[in-house]
Amino acid sequence: MLMSTIEHAISVSDLPAGEQVHALLHRAIVRMELLPGQRISENALAAEMSVSRTPIREALQRLERQGLVFVRPQRGTFVAPLNLQAIRSAYFIRLSLEKAVATEAARLRSAKDVERLEAAIAEQEGVLASRQREDFFDLNANFHRQLVVVSDLTGIAGVLDEARHHLDRVRLAHLDHAGPYPLAPIIEEHRAIVAAIAAQDVAAAEQLMHLHIEKVLPRYDLLKAKRPEFFALPGEITGPPGTRRPRNSLHR
Amino acid sequence: MLMSTIEHAISVSDLPAGEQVHALLHRAIVRMELLPGQRISENALAAEMSVSRTPIREALQRLERQGLVFVRPQRGTFVAPLNLQAIRSAYFIRLSLEKAVATEAARLRSAKDVERLEAAIAEQEGVLASRQREDFFDLNANFHRQLVVVSDLTGIAGVLDEARHHLDRVRLAHLDHAGPYPLAPIIEEHRAIVAAIAAQDVAAAEQLMHLHIEKVLPRYDLLKAKRPEFFALPGEITGPPGTRRPRNSLHR
DNA sequence: GCCTGTGCACTTGTATGCAAGTATGCATAT
DNA sequence: ATATGCATACTTGCATACAAGTGCACAGGC
């Protein structure tokens, strides 16, 4: 069921095989289509994607370093749980760096930059009602990446992306499994930030970004209450003893 | 010549082969023992370390993501130059995050934490005169990592390490190729930071850390004047046309 | 002397095969 | 019925072999 979408996606581009495998798994994990704890079989993936295990392993090693999967040698590779420490760290990184980015963007922005930021916000509004809500997170990422470009610090985009992905996993889990997750206020915050940047109001840009990022963290414990299995650590068993299911029940 | 030290190092531990290769190359690159632009041959490394190309490639891919090597398919793998954008980004990341870390450390520190930080500083003094100056950078890294632990944000240690490594490359190039690089003031700054943390003076800790980090960046252009070849981009030729040396002149 | 075309050695990317270790399920003994 | 030991199918880690592409060197023509 997972793989039907994969086969569709690979033929699109002719990037290195490992890149494509990574992009695919990364997207599926961040979107919570592959759930925490779920087994990822190198052999099965290689067969389904018609490549050898070599690029598969390359992709899995990347994902492990990003904290999205964990590999237990001779045992298996699994989607990483939502780790509280990883979430707190990602939040802290975003809070610190995005504030500084907003400051720099307010200092350096050109008129053209402001136009591009406003165009990005318009896109977000377009997707708000019509398309899949998962797509909103891609547009949100684009907006924040654009801010990085304006601040002339493109080298930090990778760090911010990785941090955001961890937080997006929590937000998207909310979308699917917990209560509503309103997107409209986020767009309003974006608009306010751009307004401050357009006015070159450094202090306001930083403060508004602070408030914007701040809203992400608190919801994690709500999700943990509803879906504790997403937070289970590698060795832990969530259910009472004896409920242990056969090894591949999650995978097949 | 390079490899004599390598053979010594590998037998010490029994970590996964790829880990060891990565640790070795990483250390050599950050210490500027492998110079920017220098070719890294997968085959030669595999032969010298008595492993196959598979773990070598695993290590090189990690290093590429860290910005320490660059791979040109079907052409070769090379030590990355000192990239201005990478340096600025690393500086920015350190400035933002370390300030926040200092703030949190000042809030959360226990008496035991202060003791450990002071012990780390004592170590730095010990190495100041006696041992190799390269070792100081390891102790400096330990100190900053310890601060991360105190601030209860161990998850961000990896990001800060990677940023610091880029800046350390510049500093170590100074040690070898440019003027003097005094280490004693750095220890004094560490001491002042710890004092502020011990006093739980949040504002002072943040400000002192700001000044501490700030000192790293400016020296880069001085080095660029003395050793422009360290900053040459992949395709660029530093000398005038016709001075192009045979392909392996850097390697053999 | 200078320019052009071809061959070869070398590069990384990918596929495949082997080795070491783990967990499951079945057979056996109590 | 319960517990124990073992065979087996699976996992990842590593080694090796092949494929595709690049650039230098050198031979030949001008």
Side-chain angles (χ1 to χ4, degrees):
Chain A
M1 48 204 129
L2 157 70
M3 303 310 164
S4 59
T5 63
I6 286 182
E7 285 168 11
H8 156 260
I10 55 169
S11 58
V12 185
S13 146
D14 59 343
L15 291 167
E19 293 276 341
Q20 298 188 31
V21 177
H22 176 268
L24 227 58
L25 288 176
H26 185 279
R27 182 187 181 90
I29 292 173
V30 171
R31 292 197 171 202
M32 293 289 275
E33 293 159 8
L34 288 173
L35 297 182
Q38 189 162 346
R39 162 174 242 122
I40 299 176
S41 166
E42 293 184 0
N43 287 320
L45 255 180
E48 302 242 20
M49 300 195 59
S50 304
V51 294
S52 77
R53 276 180 54 218
T54 306
I56 302 283
R57 286 177 54 75
E58 178 184 326
L60 290 177
Q61 283 165 9
R62 270 182 78 177
L63 291 169
E64 184 179 29
R65 265 166 241 125
Q66 295 176 313
L68 295 177
V69 309
F70 63 96
V71 179
R72 301 210 290 184
Q74 273 71 42
R75 290 185 173 188
T77 303
F78 306 86
V79 178
L82 299 177
N83 181 272
L84 173 55
Q85 177 184 296
I87 294 170
R88 284 189 56 236
S89 300
Y91 167 74
F92 187 83
I93 287 172
R94 284 203 74 194
L95 192 60
S96 298
L97 292 185
E98 296 268 21
K99 279 166 68 177
V101 164
T103 300
E104 287 302 295
R107 283 206 318 123
L108 302 175
R109 104 285 184 283
S110 70
K112 195 96 183 167
D113 289 330
V114 176
E115 280 179 34
R116 277 192 278 259
L117 290 170
E118 283 167 350
I121 291 178
E123 264 191 314
Q124 293 163 25
E125 285 181 332
V127 85
L128 185 56
S130 59
R131 268 182 269 172
Q132 296 294 330
R133 294 166 75 191
E134 281 84 359
D135 293 336
F136 177 82
F137 290 85
D138 291 335
L139 295 180
N140 178 63
N142 283 344
F143 174 74
H144 284 279
R145 261 194 292 265
Q146 186 66 35
L147 277 179
V148 172
V149 172
V150 174
S151 68
D152 195 27
L153 291 162
T154 53
I156 75 168
V159 170
L160 279 174
D161 279 341
E162 288 199 15
R164 192 176 335 95
H165 290 320
H166 281 280
L167 299 171
D168 280 351
R169 284 226 291 169
V170 182
R171 299 206 275 188
L172 276 157
H174 266 287
L175 265 174
D176 293 340
H177 298 96
Y181 196 95
L183 302 179
I186 296 177
I187 299 180
E188 282 312 308
E189 290 163 17
H190 286 177
R191 199 188 310 279
I193 290 168
V194 171
I197 289 172
Q200 295 198 304
D201 187 339
V202 171
E206 179 176 357
Q207 172 68 6
L208 288 169
M209 181 62 84
H210 186 117
L211 296 172
H212 178 56
I213 302 292
E214 217 173 28
K215 288 198 180 174
V216 180
L217 185 61
R219 303 190 173 259
Y220 111 87
D221 46 356
L222 183 71
L223 179 66
K224 186 164 184 175
K226 290 205 180 187
R227 295 280 164 168
E229 69 273 20
F230 289 171
F231 296 81
L233 270 87
E236 289 180 7
I237 305 300
T238 58
T243 59
R244 203 163 188 168
R245 281 151 278 147
R247 65 195 296 197
N248 280 339
S249 67
L250 281 173
H251 187 228
R252 295 178 180 165
Chain B
M1 51 218 109
L2 157 69
M3 303 311 165
S4 59
T5 64
I6 286 182
E7 286 169 11
H8 156 260
I10 56 168
S11 58
V12 185
S13 148
D14 60 340
L15 290 167
E19 293 276 341
Q20 297 189 31
V21 177
H22 176 268
L24 227 56
L25 289 175
H26 184 279
R27 181 186 181 90
I29 293 173
V30 171
R31 292 198 171 201
M32 292 289 277
E33 294 161 7
L34 288 172
L35 296 181
Q38 189 162 348
R39 165 175 240 121
I40 299 176
S41 166
E42 294 184 358
N43 287 321
L45 255 181
E48 302 243 20
M49 301 194 57
S50 304
V51 294
S52 79
R53 277 180 54 219
T54 306
I56 302 282
R57 286 177 54 74
E58 177 184 326
L60 290 176
Q61 283 165 9
R62 268 182 80 176
L63 291 168
E64 185 179 29
R65 307 237 158 62
Q66 295 177 314
L68 296 177
V69 309
F70 62 95
V71 179
R72 301 210 290 183
Q74 274 70 41
R75 292 185 172 190
T77 304
F78 308 85
V79 178
L82 299 178
N83 181 271
L84 173 55
Q85 179 184 294
I87 293 169
R88 284 189 56 236
S89 299
Y91 168 75
F92 187 84
I93 287 172
R94 283 204 76 193
L95 193 60
S96 298
L97 292 185
E98 296 267 21
K99 278 167 68 178
V101 163
T103 300
E104 288 302 296
R107 282 206 318 122
L108 301 175
R109 105 286 185 281
S110 69
K112 195 95 183 167
D113 289 328
V114 176
E115 280 179 34
R116 277 190 279 258
L117 290 170
E118 283 168 350
I121 291 179
E123 263 191 314
Q124 293 163 25
E125 285 183 331
V127 86
L128 186 55
S130 58
R131 267 181 270 173
Q132 296 294 330
R133 293 164 77 190
E134 282 84 358
D135 293 336
F136 177 82
F137 290 85
D138 291 335
L139 295 179
N140 178 63
N142 283 344
F143 174 75
H144 284 278
R145 260 194 293 266
Q146 186 67 35
L147 278 178
V148 172
V149 173
V150 174
S151 69
D152 197 25
L153 290 164
T154 53
I156 75 168
V159 171
L160 279 174
D161 279 340
E162 287 199 15
R164 191 177 335 98
H165 290 319
H166 282 280
L167 300 171
D168 280 351
R169 282 227 291 168
V170 182
R171 299 206 274 187
L172 276 157
H174 265 286
L175 264 175
D176 293 341
H177 299 93
Y181 196 95
L183 302 179
I186 297 178
I187 299 181
E188 281 313 307
E189 290 163 18
H190 286 176
R191 200 188 309 281
I193 291 168
V194 171
I197 289 172
Q200 296 199 303
D201 186 338
V202 171
E206 180 175 357
Q207 173 67 5
L208 288 169
M209 181 62 84
H210 186 117
L211 296 173
H212 178 56
I213 303 292
E214 217 174 26
K215 289 200 180 174
V216 181
L217 186 60
R219 305 191 172 258
Y220 111 87
D221 45 356
L222 182 71
L223 178 66
K224 185 165 185 174
K226 291 207 179 185
R227 297 278 164 170
E229 69 272 21
F230 290 171
F231 296 81
L233 271 84
E236 288 179 5
I237 307 298
T238 58
T243 60
R244 203 164 187 167
R245 282 150 279 146
R247 64 194 300 196
N248 280 339
S249 67
L250 280 173
H251 187 228
R252 295 179 182 165

